[in-house]
Amino acid sequence: MSNTGFRGFADFANSTGSTTAAILAANRVKKSQQQQAPSSSSNNNKSNNLRPSPIYTGSDPRLSLLFRKIGQKRDATTKIRALDELSSVVFAPPTNNNNNDNNIEEEGYTRPEKIASLTHLAFLHETKLGYDNNPSVRSGSYKALVAMKGHVPKAWNGLFLVAEEENDGDKNSGESFGANTTVGMAWCSARGDPSADVVKYSREFVKELLNGEENMSASTAVQPAVLNYCKVVLGCKRANNLQDVINPVSTSFSSTSDNQSSSGKDKKNKGGSKAAVKNAEAAAAVAESEREEMEERHERVMLSVLIGLGALVESQPENASKQYASIEAFPESASITRLMSSSRGPFRRQSYNLVSKFCQFAQSLVQPCESTKYIALATLLPNLLSGEKDSSNFVALFELILSYLSMFRKESDSKSPWELMDAAAFVKSLSKALRKACCGAPATSWGQMILPIVASLPSGDESAVLVVESLWEGRKSAAAIMDTAAIVSSVVECVTYLLLRRPKDSSSTCTPPSSMSKCGQLFLDCLSYFINEAPASGGPASSALDELCMTLARDVVRLDAASIDGGTNDRGITQIKSFFWGSDGSQQTFSSAKRDRQTDVKLTRLMANMIQSNDQNKEQSLIYVLPSAKALFNEIIVHSDSRSNKSCTNEEVELILKIMNICGARPLFPVQKAVETLDGVQQTTVSLEEFCVNNLIRWILIHSKSAPSAISTDFNIGKHLLLSIHSAHQQKQVWETILRELIKSYCDVTTLATGLCAMASDGDMSAIDLIKCQTLDQFAMEMGNSFMKEFWLSHDLSHTDDSNENSSMHQGDMCLFFKACVGLSDCKEMLVSSSVIKHWVEICCDETRADRLIIEDEDGENALLETTLLLGSSSDNSVLSQDELMKLILESWRQGGLIWKQTAVTKCDVAIEPNHDISMRDEFVSRASSNLKESIRRKPSKDHAILELSSQSWSKKAARVLDICKNSGLQTVGIDLDLCKNICTPNASESLFLRLMYLLHDVGNPSLLLHGSSNQELLVHVLSAVVDTENALLQTFIQRTQRSRQLVDVLGGPLELNNCVQALTTTCIDLLASYLNDPATNATNCRQTLTALSYLVSLQFSTKWSEKRISEDCILAEDINEGDSLFYEKADGMRVKSRVVKVHTDDFPNLYFTIKEENALEERQTVSNRLKRNPVTPEAPPTEDDETRREQTARHILDRLVKPFVSKLNFHADISLQNEVSAECINIIISQIGLITIGIGSVRYEIVQTVSSLESCLLKMISGDEDSINQASSPLRCLSLAFGFGLYTKAPPLGENSTDLKLPLEGLFVALIEYYDEHSQSLKGQSPPSLSFHSSVAMWLAVIVKEIKDGDALRRLSGLILTLSETLLFDHDASNSILVMKVVCAFQASAKICIDYSSAANDNEKCLFKSITKCFVDIQDSTGLWMDLYASIMTYYKKEAPEVVLYAASNFSGNLCECLKSPTKRWCAFQLLMVHAKRNKPSGSSDDVILPTATETLLSQWKQNLDEEEASELEDDVHIVALWLPEAMLLFVQELDRAPESSDSQMDYLLGWIIFLEIFDSAGAIDMRNRSSMCAFLQKANAVRAMMNLALQEANLDIGRKQNIFECISDESQDFILKELATLALFRTTESLPTLAKTWFNDDCPRYMQQKLMSFVENKVAPETLQRELVRIKDATSFGEMTVNGSAVSREVTAIYHQDEVRFVKRHFIPCLFACHLTHPVISPYPPQCQLSVTIRVPTAFPLRNVEVDLEKTLGIAEKRWRRWSLNIMLMLNNQDGSILDALLLWKENVDKEFEGVEPCPVCYSVLCIKTHSMPNLQCKTCNNRFHSLCLHKWFQSSGKSNCVLCQQPWSGSKVA
């Protein structure tokens, strides 16, 4: 190892030298102890013999191991862990802190063991750990030392502290004590170590030394140790010298070891070896690494010592009794000056800082003396300045210079520093450094130090000016803009100081006069630099530029003040003021500034700072600045006039305003400018008045559009100018001129408002009086008129004139203008007269518009109304009267919106005025309530849109009134009993409902408006009034009471009304009774109240309980079938509609089921106990209280509404209001309340008696004559209503009332059947009046058919229903058709049980459904109930008797296609057409096909440019298509290319296309030729491309593989979804038309959708298509002897066909033999037996990718032949839209024909034509080969010549059979 290498205590562990080293170290310690023994033994309290020990003298094995890891291991991690264990485990904080050295811890370490550890760790710290390059090792060592004090405090103090008494005799001796190196090292590390952890723990160590004080001044106990340590370290010139100081024992031993090693090496072979060379290289590498570590350690230790020594001097400054120069232990000056000249920049920087502290706190070290500690700074400083090149050191160097110079100012009798230092050399060195900008040092750090240095230079010569000039020159070398700005700022400060400096006395001199001009020019140069060269503020240099601007402004003000000073010319500025402020000085600098935005911004900032500085210093007027400012002003005006728009920029007007603030406006005028004339350029002047009416107006108009932010400045300039005019009258004239010109120029009102606020914002009354004028008043009124006109144009819905005549051309913020006029903006004074305000109120509250329908002003756009309201609500309102304010409040109430909420309510809702009897609140409520009552009683509009808008407007106004009147009811806003009683039309009912609903929605708590006993009667009237009883037969009870339900929901729902519903029901019964007893009562009111009663009863008694209902809810497992729709009951009791997917019998008889919930993706399994019939759980049996309430309600209805009219019901034949109401009330009792009690006198008894007597009366009437039959219609109608038909009340399930009453009704039924059988012929021709009887019969049948259980009776009944339909449906009346359909629905409910449709459907039912379907097709306005009934009838027949549906669909197929366009008919029409499409036969015969005109026209266009054969073929194709498609469907396909883009029409086209594809498949299944013809038609019509593009726009291509794509058109789906239909259309098109779909994909599909569509085909289309094709193949019956198998997994279809020779000979060769009389043997061209095998491989992306056909397994057939067959199959599948089934059948036919001896066509290589399935029928006369006519014509067309395909001779062939 090298002699200079750092080895440390680890070398003691070496086997060759550890003992020797330990002995040497022990001897050194022992010798030291013996020298101090006498004094130690004399007194133990004054000294201590503890010293750091090089070896661990204890015997604890754990500590021995830890110290070996600490002292011998080289890796830092091991040391850190060992030190951490030592401090946290071995020397953990003691549990009992009593400073007892004999205290034994839990670990069992005794005091001697701990002291031995302490002394050894101190040695390791001094020699190794404290200098370690790893900061964690150093911090861990300090941490361990601190932790040891808590265990052995006395030993710790004795080791690290020297008693003060011990050093009393010679404190300056510098003699070492104990572990003084550790103490000095800790002090320096606590101040200067680069690691935060080391600083932390070393500070804790020092605190422990100083008893908790960090400051050194607290004790001098550690000063000798610090000085000794610093002196030793500073004496180390190099890194190896420091290593010698750290561990001399290791170094000496290393030298000895190296000598021994070298002598040993001499004894070896001198030739050396390769191993020796490698060891030498490794040793060199280790030595280099150690040298780097030593250099790093040397720099860190040296810097920490310099910092620590400076901290020591600062904490203990010297005084008269103690000077550091006399302390022997203080470091020598040579060691410090050496570092000041070191080549290392950090050493120089810290030494500068150290010496700077010497100048402040230890001046004896830098003042001349004979001590070796003296540092000759006077000689050093010039050399340091000239030699310093490190930019980071200049700040410290300048601080050193300032500290040195300031040292001479502290003592009055001190010498001047220039007596000791060569001023010329210093100035030269300083100037050199400044010219280089201190080598790039940040000027922001050192620039401020130059002024005190310049101030300290000798006065009387030019040294200071030379320094400043060098500093100015140094700006060019600055590294950044902020440095340049800092340098210029420093120059300004220095120059200003020199110009303002006065001599100390009359005999002394300041800067020579010759240098004053230089200083002045330097200041002007700095000013010019800021104006012309420096960038505007922003970025990182912003603060420096701002500082420069402030400095320039401050010093300009100071120089101006000094120039005014009337004293002697003892200052430099007074000597040069004529030059400095003259035309060649500051005036030239300001006026010659380049005119751009940045310059103007900087000048503006400079002027602003000058104003601020002048105001702060309370200086006089800036007299000397005025000429410069005027010159600048004149330059700006001239420059602005030279522009094309003759205007100033935003920055220029800001600058002008600052100039006027400095100088005033009057001194700036007149303005001199040059004007070009015919005689040349002439000088002219512009007066102040001319400037106002010309320049200023032009600026305002231009800035209003280009620079709005300059408007305030423009008007402030105008204010300065106007107020500078001497005459007040002239001021007003000029102002009105300006204002008139601005108005004439249509100046933006925002500009005017901003300007007015700017002029009046400071509250200057002279300016405010100036602003007020007649011109402004007139303009304000005009703006009010214009604004209100535009407001009504945009908010008045009844306004029809959209012209904008006379509208204002002024644009801008009107609200700001209005507020500015009345003092509600920045200006607090009113600027217009009171007449303007009165006019505004008048136009705001235009009474002619009070009743018009307006759009609510939600956003508060009516600025004029808002302004006047704010003015009226202000505390100092003296303009508006109370009546005017009330008008404004009412107008705000009508308009609503933000103005009402934020202004009218919050600021105008005041209490009683002193001079009024009622408050404004009461007056407002009174007027508003009257307005609302008048409005609600007007006749409502028949236009629903207007009705909606008017209801919304009314409700919002009513809500505003109720919001103010918190405890008021609906009567306040006009909804009362009289209003409800007078509502007799549907339009009025809807109006009331809309107004009430909107009102309840707008108020906070709607339930409070209608709850409570006082409002119960009103609520009943409201519920009755909103009921819709018009066309009651066309609506369900839910539809009729929909408004009532919505009203109850808004009020909180049925639960909220539960407490008062019984009282409401009683009130409703009494109200209905009063109506019935009043002859003048309107029938509409009665029917509305009756419906409301039924609804209230339904709220009170939700369902009628029945024991049967619970039993009917359950279902047996064996009754559940696949496809059933049931309800799955979840664990929480909720029920979800589900469909049974599969019935599992593997655990028979315990069945379980797979179901799929509605709208769920996954299936689940369950048992029958969880499947229910009903969607809700049946109601539990009623309680006793419930039974009592039911009985009371039923009795009340019976007594008030039934009994009083029983006699009339029995004996009056005419239908009367009382009859209907009584019958409907019986239905309410039976179906909604229930017949609870039995016995004589009970409700049940009396109702049975009433109904029985009515039935007896009817039997007599029906068996009577014609007159009695006509009279029977009224009782029969009432009986139907009583049995639950539910015309105005809630209808029960049909037949339920008859079941509950248990009355025998067969007699009346039989009587009606017999009557119709007897009079069937005569009834068909009866006149319309007899329709009442037929309709009553229909109503009666609807409620009692359920009771008929006999199939034959039902068959007879079907004839009766058919007769009724022929009578009632002749005029397609919707009400009559609903009666018929209700009867049919009831008939179907019974027929499902009693009639077997498996054999054949009844002809009556076919005709009946046909009649209903005709009505369905013809009806225009179909309601939801109508469609629901028809859909129910159709679904039943579709499932039970499909031939009934097919019969109707076939008769109206064309009409049904048109019905697809109707959203209400679409679903039923589609289902009917799908049945028609699947019937597998054409729509008519080929002889009856007549093409529509549009098709004929299109066909004619298509046949152009076609030859005769092709045209004929195309015409045949179109006729085939027309044969299969209804005319409407044919036209639909033709128009697909013009499909509209609306979503509703798109759905029609998608549905029609799906139906067409179904017809296409049916036609193809009948004959493959139909498929080819239809494909040709589609290709010509371009239908596939149009449909695929349409479907692709809406389709969901991410549909799951398991999701049923056909579910969207199933019977369970009651509505169509466009996205699902589009997806299905894509699927079906790709499945049915594979070739056309592939062509579209390749040619027309958008590229960005191709990959997504390909994934859709692979994941959904291809798997399901193949699966469906395999099902069709399996069901096929035309394969004969061919067997076909397929797999959806392998995606292969294999067909095997066997043939033998016998069949061939029988078919072909034997007939030929007899025919030709051949004598030679016949040789068959076919093998005796062959097996034909074809395998079709379907790709995963079929049909977008072609199929593969393999016939290689075919046996006994030539390869050429089976390859031809393979080509035919591929052609069929890939190019002809054929299915796999079609291809296999065609292949089989081809094979059969070929084996029969028919030669294939040479063109298509097929016997049968793929399209027409015909054999070759054209024979060439030359070569006798036969061709398909279609193939031959295509050949002629493609080749361009008419030669034979084979012989190439001109064609001359003929047709053959």
Side-chain angles (χ1 to χ4, degrees), residues 1054-1079:
L1055 294 178
E1056 187 72 21
L1057 294 175
N1058 190 39
N1059 296 330
C1060 63
V1061 67
Q1062 186 172 3
L1064 292 174
T1065 304
T1066 303
T1067 303
C1068 188
I1069 295 171
D1070 295 337
L1071 176 62
L1072 182 57
S1074 65
Y1075 282 157
L1076 294 178
N1077 290 313
D1078 185 2

Side-chain angles (χ1 to χ4, degrees), residues 222 281 512 867 885 1379:
V222 300
E281 292 175 354
T867 302
L885 181 58
L1379 286 176

